[in-house]
mmCIF file of all heavy atoms in Angstrom:
data_model
loop_
_atom_site.group_PDB
_atom_site.id
_atom_site.type_symbol
_atom_site.label_atom_id
_atom_site.label_comp_id
_atom_site.label_asym_id
_atom_site.label_seq_id
_atom_site.Cartn_x
_atom_site.Cartn_y
_atom_site.Cartn_z
ATOM 1 N N GLU I 724 197.675 26.720 278.269
ATOM 2 C CA GLU I 724 198.055 25.325 278.380
ATOM 3 C C GLU I 724 197.549 24.495 277.176
ATOM 4 O O GLU I 724 197.997 23.380 276.968
ATOM 5 C CB GLU I 724 197.483 24.710 279.676
ATOM 6 C CG GLU I 724 195.987 24.700 279.772
ATOM 7 C CD GLU I 724 195.394 26.040 280.214
ATOM 8 O OE1 GLU I 724 196.144 27.012 280.373
ATOM 9 O OE2 GLU I 724 194.155 26.101 280.346
ATOM 10 N N MET I 725 196.625 25.048 276.413
ATOM 11 C CA MET I 725 196.071 24.307 275.285
ATOM 12 C C MET I 725 196.740 24.632 273.983
ATOM 13 O O MET I 725 196.981 23.753 273.138
ATOM 14 C CB MET I 725 194.569 24.591 275.123
ATOM 15 C CG MET I 725 193.707 23.940 276.160
ATOM 16 S SD MET I 725 191.969 24.273 275.810
ATOM 17 C CE MET I 725 191.698 23.323 274.335
ATOM 18 N N ALA I 726 197.060 25.924 273.774
ATOM 19 C CA ALA I 726 197.475 26.352 272.434
ATOM 20 C C ALA I 726 198.187 27.683 272.469
ATOM 21 O O ALA I 726 198.226 28.328 273.524
ATOM 22 C CB ALA I 726 196.241 26.454 271.545
ATOM 23 N N SER I 727 198.690 28.065 271.317
ATOM 24 C CA SER I 727 199.242 29.410 271.117
ATOM 25 C C SER I 727 198.447 30.054 269.976
ATOM 26 O O SER I 727 197.995 29.402 269.059
ATOM 27 C CB SER I 727 200.728 29.310 270.747
ATOM 28 O OG SER I 727 201.491 28.827 271.803
ATOM 29 N N LEU I 728 198.337 31.382 270.129
ATOM 30 C CA LEU I 728 197.657 32.177 269.115
ATOM 31 C C LEU I 728 198.626 33.224 268.610
ATOM 32 O O LEU I 728 199.152 34.018 269.374
ATOM 33 C CB LEU I 728 196.418 32.844 269.704
ATOM 34 C CG LEU I 728 195.667 33.870 268.819
ATOM 35 C CD1 LEU I 728 195.163 33.198 267.537
ATOM 36 C CD2 LEU I 728 194.525 34.490 269.603
ATOM 37 N N ILE I 729 198.876 33.144 267.296
ATOM 38 C CA ILE I 729 199.769 34.117 266.678
ATOM 39 C C ILE I 729 198.927 35.036 265.787
ATOM 40 O O ILE I 729 198.224 34.545 264.870
ATOM 41 C CB ILE I 729 200.839 33.398 265.772
ATOM 42 C CG1 ILE I 729 201.550 32.294 266.573
ATOM 43 C CG2 ILE I 729 201.795 34.417 265.193
ATOM 44 C CD1 ILE I 729 202.317 32.820 267.779
ATOM 45 N N ILE I 730 198.983 36.303 266.077
ATOM 46 C CA ILE I 730 198.216 37.305 265.301
ATOM 47 C C ILE I 730 199.220 38.157 264.538
ATOM 48 O O ILE I 730 200.187 38.666 265.117
ATOM 49 C CB ILE I 730 197.353 38.201 266.225
ATOM 50 C CG1 ILE I 730 196.410 37.316 267.065
ATOM 51 C CG2 ILE I 730 196.571 39.227 265.441
ATOM 52 C CD1 ILE I 730 195.631 38.069 268.130
ATOM 53 N N THR I 731 198.982 38.285 263.218
ATOM 54 C CA THR I 731 199.934 39.084 262.419
ATOM 55 C C THR I 731 199.889 40.567 262.862
ATOM 56 O O THR I 731 198.936 40.990 263.465
ATOM 57 C CB THR I 731 199.606 38.983 260.946
ATOM 58 O OG1 THR I 731 198.260 39.418 260.738
ATOM 59 C CG2 THR I 731 199.771 37.546 260.448
ATOM 60 N N GLU I 732 200.955 41.244 262.511
ATOM 61 C CA GLU I 732 201.060 42.635 262.952
ATOM 62 C C GLU I 732 199.929 43.503 262.454
ATOM 63 O O GLU I 732 199.442 44.399 263.149
ATOM 64 C CB GLU I 732 202.410 43.190 262.461
ATOM 65 C CG GLU I 732 202.811 44.471 263.210
ATOM 66 C CD GLU I 732 204.243 44.858 262.951
ATOM 67 O OE1 GLU I 732 205.084 43.977 262.666
ATOM 68 O OE2 GLU I 732 204.527 46.048 263.015
ATOM 69 N N ASP I 733 199.467 43.235 261.215
ATOM 70 C CA ASP I 733 198.353 44.021 260.678
ATOM 71 C C ASP I 733 196.992 43.502 261.159
ATOM 72 O O ASP I 733 195.951 44.054 260.832
ATOM 73 C CB ASP I 733 198.405 44.100 259.165
ATOM 74 C CG ASP I 733 198.244 42.725 258.485
ATOM 75 O OD1 ASP I 733 197.960 41.720 259.205
ATOM 76 O OD2 ASP I 733 198.414 42.620 257.285
ATOM 77 N N ARG I 734 197.025 42.411 261.928
ATOM 78 C CA ARG I 734 195.820 41.773 262.506
ATOM 79 C C ARG I 734 194.866 41.203 261.488
ATOM 80 O O ARG I 734 193.754 40.876 261.808
ATOM 81 C CB ARG I 734 195.100 42.719 263.471
ATOM 82 C CG ARG I 734 195.945 43.242 264.570
ATOM 83 C CD ARG I 734 195.253 43.661 265.835
ATOM 84 N NE ARG I 734 193.942 44.202 265.651
ATOM 85 C CZ ARG I 734 192.836 43.674 266.135
ATOM 86 N NH1 ARG I 734 192.875 42.579 266.841
ATOM 87 N NH2 ARG I 734 191.676 44.240 265.931
ATOM 88 N N LYS I 735 195.296 41.072 260.255
ATOM 89 C CA LYS I 735 194.386 40.569 259.252
ATOM 90 C C LYS I 735 194.324 39.054 259.163
ATOM 91 O O LYS I 735 193.524 38.487 258.442
ATOM 92 C CB LYS I 735 194.767 41.160 257.876
ATOM 93 C CG LYS I 735 194.532 42.656 257.818
ATOM 94 C CD LYS I 735 194.755 43.219 256.406
ATOM 95 C CE LYS I 735 194.433 44.703 256.402
ATOM 96 N NZ LYS I 735 194.582 45.310 255.091
ATOM 97 N N SER I 736 195.196 38.395 259.911
ATOM 98 C CA SER I 736 195.105 36.957 259.942
ATOM 99 C C SER I 736 195.718 36.479 261.238
ATOM 100 O O SER I 736 196.412 37.206 261.946
ATOM 101 C CB SER I 736 195.832 36.309 258.758
ATOM 102 O OG SER I 736 197.218 36.560 258.834
ATOM 103 N N SER I 737 195.401 35.244 261.594
ATOM 104 C CA SER I 737 195.951 34.642 262.801
ATOM 105 C C SER I 737 196.144 33.137 262.575
ATOM 106 O O SER I 737 195.565 32.571 261.617
ATOM 107 C CB SER I 737 195.068 34.909 263.990
ATOM 108 O OG SER I 737 193.756 34.362 263.806
ATOM 109 N N THR I 738 196.909 32.528 263.442
ATOM 110 C CA THR I 738 197.142 31.084 263.389
ATOM 111 C C THR I 738 197.013 30.521 264.793
ATOM 112 O O THR I 738 197.633 31.062 265.739
ATOM 113 C CB THR I 738 198.557 30.772 262.860
ATOM 114 O OG1 THR I 738 198.693 31.329 261.535
ATOM 115 C CG2 THR I 738 198.794 29.259 262.779
ATOM 116 N N LEU I 739 196.230 29.486 264.895
ATOM 117 C CA LEU I 739 196.129 28.730 266.144
ATOM 118 C C LEU I 739 197.136 27.581 266.046
ATOM 119 O O LEU I 739 197.127 26.855 265.061
ATOM 120 C CB LEU I 739 194.740 28.196 266.366
ATOM 121 C CG LEU I 739 194.530 27.343 267.620
ATOM 122 C CD1 LEU I 739 194.508 28.209 268.855
ATOM 123 C CD2 LEU I 739 193.280 26.512 267.520
ATOM 124 N N ILE I 740 197.952 27.430 267.062
ATOM 125 C CA ILE I 740 198.939 26.351 267.065
ATOM 126 C C ILE I 740 198.677 25.390 268.235
ATOM 127 O O ILE I 740 198.658 25.850 269.375
ATOM 128 C CB ILE I 740 200.384 26.901 267.163
ATOM 129 C CG1 ILE I 740 200.669 27.880 265.984
ATOM 130 C CG2 ILE I 740 201.389 25.786 267.184
ATOM 131 C CD1 ILE I 740 201.962 28.633 266.114
ATOM 132 N N LEU I 741 198.472 24.160 267.869
ATOM 133 C CA LEU I 741 198.438 23.081 268.879
ATOM 134 C C LEU I 741 199.812 22.414 268.801
ATOM 135 O O LEU I 741 200.129 21.754 267.840
ATOM 136 C CB LEU I 741 197.344 22.070 268.577
ATOM 137 C CG LEU I 741 195.932 22.619 268.313
ATOM 138 C CD1 LEU I 741 195.006 21.474 267.991
ATOM 139 C CD2 LEU I 741 195.445 23.390 269.534
ATOM 140 N N PRO I 742 200.657 22.610 269.845
ATOM 141 C CA PRO I 742 202.081 22.261 269.683
ATOM 142 C C PRO I 742 202.342 20.767 269.462
ATOM 143 O O PRO I 742 203.259 20.439 268.710
ATOM 144 C CB PRO I 742 202.691 22.749 270.993
ATOM 145 C CG PRO I 742 201.565 22.967 271.926
ATOM 146 C CD PRO I 742 200.344 23.210 271.117
ATOM 147 N N HIS I 743 201.613 19.927 270.107
ATOM 148 C CA HIS I 743 201.782 18.465 269.966
ATOM 149 C C HIS I 743 200.428 17.819 269.850
ATOM 150 O O HIS I 743 199.839 17.410 270.842
ATOM 151 C CB HIS I 743 202.565 17.894 271.170
ATOM 152 C CG HIS I 743 203.850 18.586 271.454
ATOM 153 N ND1 HIS I 743 204.969 18.396 270.659
ATOM 154 C CD2 HIS I 743 204.206 19.492 272.379
ATOM 155 C CE1 HIS I 743 205.952 19.152 271.113
ATOM 156 N NE2 HIS I 743 205.526 19.828 272.162
ATOM 157 N N ALA I 744 199.906 17.751 268.628
ATOM 158 C CA ALA I 744 198.548 17.283 268.453
ATOM 159 C C ALA I 744 198.400 15.815 268.843
ATOM 160 O O ALA I 744 199.288 14.974 268.600
ATOM 161 C CB ALA I 744 198.166 17.490 266.986
ATOM 162 N N THR I 745 197.281 15.521 269.487
ATOM 163 C CA THR I 745 196.925 14.148 269.812
ATOM 164 C C THR I 745 195.639 13.784 269.110
ATOM 165 O O THR I 745 194.938 14.646 268.575
ATOM 166 C CB THR I 745 196.739 13.959 271.337
ATOM 167 O OG1 THR I 745 195.542 14.637 271.737
ATOM 168 C CG2 THR I 745 197.908 14.537 272.149
#
Side-chain angles (χ1 to χ4, degrees):
Chain I
E724 64 279 2
M725 287 183 69
S727 294
L728 173 61
I729 308 297
I730 303 173
T731 57
E732 197 168 331
D733 64 7
R734 303 206 327 119
K735 293 185 176 183
S736 66
S737 60
T738 301
L739 178 75
I740 301 172
L741 308 178
H743 306 286
T745 70

